[in-house]
Amino acid sequence: MKPNKKIKAFTLSEMIIVLILTSIVVGMAFSVLTLVQKHMYSIQQNFNKTAELNKLQVALNLDFNRYSKVNYNDLENELKFLSPIDSINYQFYDEMIIKETDTFNVQLENKNFYFDGENISKGKIDAIKLVTSKDSRNQVLFIYKKNDASNYMD
């Protein structure tokens, strides 16, 4: 007598359907992962641009309030902070701003210099307005200092 034992198992067609569904789900997961990675990269780039702009603003605020005289030379595209003891230079380029050993990767759309509320192109200044490029969402930095009597002499 033969024992009638049937082994319970999946058929080949059922296994193929499971493999096809699994590959579809894995493919969708990888496409979503790619979208999330691109989104995270853009968030990181935006954060880096904002952080760079904040570092530039802090450096300019400190230097405007630390030095007694500030001059802009339009030929050399240079902002010079002067005091009896020390001086610091900012060089403006298309892609960056260089302050001695610091480099600020900020693209500027426009820069305006002011003295006593009047827009000037060179010489003594007491305020600066920097407008970033479209990549940095056209943010505006306005930095000023209160003049003392030494700025009106000479």
Side-chain angles (χ1 to χ4, degrees), residues 11-25:
T11 63
L12 183 58
S13 60
E14 290 174 331
M15 291 301 292
I16 290 174
I17 290 173
V18 167
L19 287 174
I20 290 172
L21 290 175
T22 303
S23 64
I24 290 172
V25 169

Side-chain angles (χ1 to χ4, degrees), residues 28-151:
M28 289 173 57
F30 275 114
S31 65
V32 168
L33 177 65
T34 303
L35 289 174
V36 168
Q37 285 176 334
K38 287 180 182 178
H39 187 66
M40 291 301 293
Y41 178 76
S42 66
I43 289 172
Q44 183 179 11
Q45 292 301 318
N46 190 20
F47 174 77
N48 289 342
K49 287 177 186 177
T50 304
E52 197 73 20
L53 196 60
N54 287 340
K55 286 194 295 188
L56 175 63
Q57 183 176 9
V58 167
L60 283 170
N61 272 327
L62 286 173
D63 290 336
F64 258 92
N65 291 308
R66 184 179 298 158
Y67 292 92
S68 59
K69 293 184 181 180
V70 184
N71 291 321
Y72 179 69
N73 184 344
D74 62 338
L75 295 176
E76 296 178 10
N77 217 6
E78 180 179 58
L79 186 63
K80 188 175 276 193
F81 293 89
L82 304 165
S83 74
I85 302 171
D86 194 15
S87 69
I88 289 183
N89 298 332
Y90 284 77
Q91 289 285 136
F92 293 94
Y93 296 101
D94 292 336
E95 301 282 326
M96 67 187 103
I97 299 170
I98 296 177
K99 172 194 170 187
E100 297 190 350
T101 58
D102 294 334
T103 301
F104 303 100
N105 293 317
V106 176
Q107 290 181 330
L108 295 178
E109 186 81 22
N110 193 6
K111 57 184 179 292
N112 295 323
F113 302 97
Y114 301 94
F115 187 73
D116 270 349
E118 294 183 25
N119 197 352
I120 63 165
S121 60
K122 63 181 178 179
K124 292 181 184 178
I125 67 167
D126 60 3
I128 183 172
K129 178 182 176 184
L130 303 175
V131 180
T132 63
S133 65
K134 291 180 183 177
D135 292 340
S136 299
R137 296 176 288 150
N138 293 83
Q139 294 182 2
V140 177
L141 292 179
F142 186 78
I143 295 129
Y144 68 95
K145 71 178 199 128
K146 293 183 179 180
N147 289 325
D148 55 4
S150 66
N151 281 326

